[in-house]
Amino acid sequence: MLIGVFLLLSMLTCSILTIGDEICIGQIVNSNAAWMAAQCTKIGCEVIKHVTVSDNENEIISELENLRTYSDFILITGGLGPTHDDITKKVLCSYFHDELIWHRPTLEWLEEFAHIRNRVLTDRNRQQALLPSKCSVLTNKNGTAPGMLFTDGGSNFVSMPGVPREMMYIMENHVLPLIEKIITENGYETNKYRTILTIGIAESDLADLIGDETLFLNENTSLAFLPSYKGVRLRIGVHNVHVNEADKLLDSIESYLYLKAGKYFFGKNDESIESVTVRLLKEQGATVSVAESCTGGKIGAAFTEIAGSSIYFIGGVLAYSNDVKVQELSVNAQDIEKYGAVSEQVARSMSEGVRKKLSTTYALSATGTAGPGGGTEEKPVGTVWISLATPKETITKRFIFGNDRTANRERTVGAAFDMLYRYLRSEEK
Amino acid sequence: MLIGVFLLLSMLTCSILTIGDEICIGQIVNSNAAWMAAQCTKIGCEVIKHVTVSDNENEIISELENLRTYSDFILITGGLGPTHDDITKKVLCSYFHDELIWHRPTLEWLEEFAHIRNRVLTDRNRQQALLPSKCSVLTNKNGTAPGMLFTDGGSNFVSMPGVPREMMYIMENHVLPLIEKIITENGYETNKYRTILTIGIAESDLADLIGDETLFLNENTSLAFLPSYKGVRLRIGVHNVHVNEADKLLDSIESYLYLKAGKYFFGKNDESIESVTVRLLKEQGATVSVAESCTGGKIGAAFTEIAGSSIYFIGGVLAYSNDVKVQELSVNAQDIEKYGAVSEQVARSMSEGVRKKLSTTYALSATGTAGPGGGTEEKPVGTVWISLATPKETITKRFIFGNDRTANRERTVGAAFDMLYRYLRSEEK
């Protein structure tokens, strides 16, 4: 039947159905759906839709009816636990007019699983081996509920537990290999994506810089702008092309974008401004310290979030009060009086002060008005001075962000890393 | 028309439609949907379904057709940016047979927004003020794309930007108040939830303390245990009751739980261990400083995340390297050699050292092995010493968390605030 589907569709398609009250009412973020979608996209399977419904038989069945009309694979998670509110197995059984039978290999696995954990196999858990007769059972070595694959009328329905590591096991060992096999054997076309990371430029300015998209995009290629506090990501995509052409097409679009806006690029795909900055620090055998006012520790926290940071991150001073700025960082009290704590002079003294104090190659400082209060006519909320002290010079810049405190602090961290990153890159031989 | 809906439904219902390729292909986890669902659930609006589709006109329209059949509110996010791939406004316009007109208040806001940031208002951004004539415009003080409310055939369609803080502004200032008003005025039945925050006790111990749930729950009430890095939250719920009954029922369950486990309670709903600790610091006119090793600034960042923190947070020392511990916090180098940097002695010297240096009422310090590397037989990964220096004494405790670096750092912040919170509460007259 998949051949039949192939004749109608140029790409293999899937939809993701998440079943569970806890997701529906927002108690849990649906990270399973994102993970499954990313895996399917990576192997060239087009994700059409994500749907979340509660543990309700009618809603589940009407979704199955709907999703099967345009999905080769319907990936279902949740509702396979041993408790009363887990109804997925029962619902699938009635949907496919099937009956539950004892599945010996699963029963043996349950006994082994209980034995490994020195537990007795309860009747409640033994029920996990009662499975629909028409499904292919997908083993789950990370838990007690196996996956179930039903193939019906050209659509493949896969039911998996909602526990992430159990769902991942079944996806990686059964579902993804099957999808890849079908794509290659039937010569489906594919979609492929690449994300280029930029920083230091606003979304609309970047769009203006890149200009008329008809000059480099066609009906098989796409460009999306994904803004964040730490720069705008450019996601280029190629669609419905043969798998061998995908990378060549992505390369050509990337080259074009580089010509237009390359100076704002800093990485690709899963990289971050923190990870690329730290990589350069390590390569150059450099160390760094921080002097933080408005960020209160967020820059240091970002450096140390990465494992192994003790190689390059020495420490810092949280100079939230002006007294600490003067006492610990040798900021000139007259400067604070004359120019204010949020000023070029103070930011510069902070970075130079902590660099000297902790004897590091580089030092970053930030002083600003994060908000919501504290803004003035000439220094509105969102005004931040960031300074980078280096062996050769000290660079200090003013930024004016928005009126959201959390966002302003996040943006300050991003801008500070951006300043250090650009300097380190310029130092590369 | 909502009255008509009221006659058919016992509860006001909503569905969440997320528009965006980046969510559909799994590049971004859909945390917006979880946040919106949690907010709607909290005020008694039943969330029926979450759906995610790509930036595709036909898919968006067929979902609108589907969701409106059982949703009083359809909450739409995404696709409102200034760039070409943002098609939501255009799609809604054609779906409601509407036309775009210039909306003067939005245009004025865009000019103000650009002015505050010393930017010129580009034509591209000016387009954000071109809005459908039939919608009510929902102001967005956190960005340039306003929300849009269309009411059609008894359903309310709300379109919001996908940027979390912009969506949250529109939800909190326009959508949630409107939904609450409708629920109260029409006397819908409701579900209502209240979350009681506990810290310092494990989930299973808390469950044992509370005991047999049949003694205080019935078919219209529920209790859920939600463990987190910063304590276990108790979520009590009442279901399908008249809006006037809900709070009385919640109060009675809360009182019962307080009798059983009150000494572990520290707050409710949106409070956090950080917010209640800071409230006590302010009430007592006390100040605090930090000395951080393994957390690298996260404790200071948590104190300063709260607006107005300059009243009580003075500053701190990020003592990541041992040299900084000795040089800046007067930690005894022999202690580091003898007991290691992750030790009671070093944690104690760090908190006492920074308290003396910055002359604060209290000081918190943390030194530990966040992982993944660096563990030993006697000090496994996840071992953290936290110390609280006070005017009267210094309290130092050892914690053994897990293997996950990020989780260990989060837990350390929670445990540090818990120590300070308990001490401050014990000091209350």
Side-chain angles (χ1 to χ4, degrees), chain A residues 118-131:
Chain A
N118 305 334
R119 297 214 200 102
V120 281
L121 181 59
T122 64
D123 284 349
R124 185 193 286 279
N125 281 329
R126 190 173 278 106
Q127 301 295 315
Q128 301 278 23
L130 262 183
L131 295 164

Side-chain angles (χ1 to χ4, degrees), chain A residues 27-202:
Chain A
Q27 203 168 83
I28 295 178
V29 174
N30 193 352
S31 51
N32 276 357
W35 186 87
M36 289 190 284
Q39 301 309 309
C40 291
T41 302
K42 204 186 297 178
I43 62 173
C45 174
E46 185 177 15
V47 183
I48 302 288
K49 191 187 286 190
H50 306 192
V51 182
T52 300
V53 296
S54 60
D55 302 285
N56 174 299
E57 172 150 15
N58 298 333
E59 286 173 15
I60 294 169
I61 285 177
S62 74
E63 273 314 317
L64 294 175
E65 278 299 300
N66 172 16
L67 295 176
R68 69 182 301 161
T69 60
Y70 46 76
S71 312
D72 299 319
F73 276 81
I74 295 108
L75 306 177
I76 308 162
T77 59
L80 292 185
T83 52
H84 70 284
D85 58 325
D86 292 305
I87 64 171
T88 304
K89 189 163 69 179
K90 179 175 133 292
V91 171
L92 290 172
C93 216
S94 71
Y95 182 65
F96 292 112
H97 312 293
D98 201 357
E99 55 175 357
L100 295 176
I101 58 168
W102 287 103
H103 186 254
R104 179 150 307 291
T106 301
L107 202 50
E108 285 159 5
W109 163 246
L110 291 175
E111 276 150 7
E112 184 188 339
F113 193 82
H115 175 73
I116 295 167
R117 285 161 184 65
N118 305 334
R119 297 214 200 102
V120 281
L121 181 59
T122 64
D123 284 349
R124 185 193 286 279
N125 281 329
R126 190 173 278 106
Q127 301 295 315
Q128 301 278 23
L130 262 183
L131 295 164
S133 68
K134 296 177 183 170
C135 78
S136 336
V137 175
L138 310 176
T139 58
N140 166 14
K141 295 292 176 203
N142 286 345
T144 59
M148 297 174 277
L149 167 64
F150 296 87
T151 300
D152 184 59
S155 291
N156 303 280
F157 301 79
V158 183
S159 169
M160 297 171 278
V163 180
R165 70 181 191 292
E166 301 187 31
M167 172 278 291
M168 290 174 182
Y169 179 92
I170 294 167
M171 285 291 288
E172 287 170 342
N173 291 279
H174 303 291
V175 182
L176 294 169
L178 175 62
I179 292 175
E180 257 186 308
K181 185 162 165 291
I182 293 168
I183 288 174
T184 31
E185 285 181 358
N186 298 285
Y188 278 87
E189 292 177 337
T190 187
N191 287 351
K192 203 161 181 185
Y193 296 90
R194 181 179 302 171
T195 305
I196 296 163
L197 309 171
T198 78
I199 195 163
I201 181 167

Side-chain angles (χ1 to χ4, degrees), chain A residues 23-31 33-34 37-38 41 47-54 59 63 66 70 193 195 202-205 207-208 213 217 223-227 229 233 235 290 292 294-298 300-302 304-310 313-321 324 327-328 357-358 371-372 380-381 398 400-407 409 411, chain B residues 21-31 33-35 37-38 41 47-54 59 62-63 66 70 81-86 109 116-119 122 124-125 141-142 163 165 193 224 226 235 290 292-302 304-310 313-321 324 327-328 357-358 371-372 405-406 409:
Chain A
I23 303 270
C24 217
I25 67 171
Q27 203 168 83
I28 295 178
V29 174
N30 193 352
S31 51
T41 302
V47 183
I48 302 288
K49 191 187 286 190
H50 306 192
V51 182
T52 300
V53 296
S54 60
E59 286 173 15
E63 273 314 317
N66 172 16
Y70 46 76
Y193 296 90
T195 305
E203 179 181 10
S204 55
D205 299 340
D208 290 341
E213 299 183 342
L217 293 182
L223 172 65
F225 292 75
L226 312 175
Y229 296 149
R233 287 166 300 144
R235 195 189 66 239
V290 296
E292 306 190 47
C294 59
T295 43
K298 285 185 81 73
T304 55
E305 186 65 23
I306 300 162
S309 43
S310 54
F313 186 75
I314 303 307
V317 172
L318 306 185
Y320 213 64
S321 82
V324 178
Q327 177 190 314
E328 298 301 320
K357 189 188 193 85
L358 302 188
V381 166
R398 187 183 71 160
I400 298 179
F401 301 123
N403 38 27
D404 180 79
R405 182 180 181 85
T406 302
R409 284 156 49 92
R411 289 197 174 107
Chain B
D21 295 344
E22 68 278 14
I23 303 271
C24 216
I25 68 173
Q27 188 161 45
I28 294 178
V29 174
N30 194 351
S31 52
W35 186 88
T41 301
V47 183
I48 302 288
K49 191 187 285 190
H50 306 193
V51 181
T52 300
V53 296
S54 60
E59 286 172 16
S62 75
E63 273 314 316
N66 172 18
Y70 46 77
T83 51
H84 77 102
D85 57 310
D86 294 305
W109 163 245
I116 295 169
R117 285 161 185 66
N118 298 346
R119 298 218 195 102
T122 63
R124 189 187 290 278
N125 279 328
K141 295 290 176 204
N142 284 346
V163 180
R165 71 182 191 291
Y193 297 88
L226 314 174
R235 187 163 151 282
V290 297
E292 307 190 47
S293 184
C294 60
T295 43
K298 285 184 80 73
I299 302 174
T304 54
E305 185 65 23
I306 299 162
S309 43
S310 53
F313 186 75
I314 302 308
V317 172
L318 306 185
Y320 213 64
S321 81
V324 178
Q327 176 190 312
E328 297 301 320
K357 189 188 193 84
L358 302 187
R405 180 180 180 86
T406 302
R409 282 156 50 94

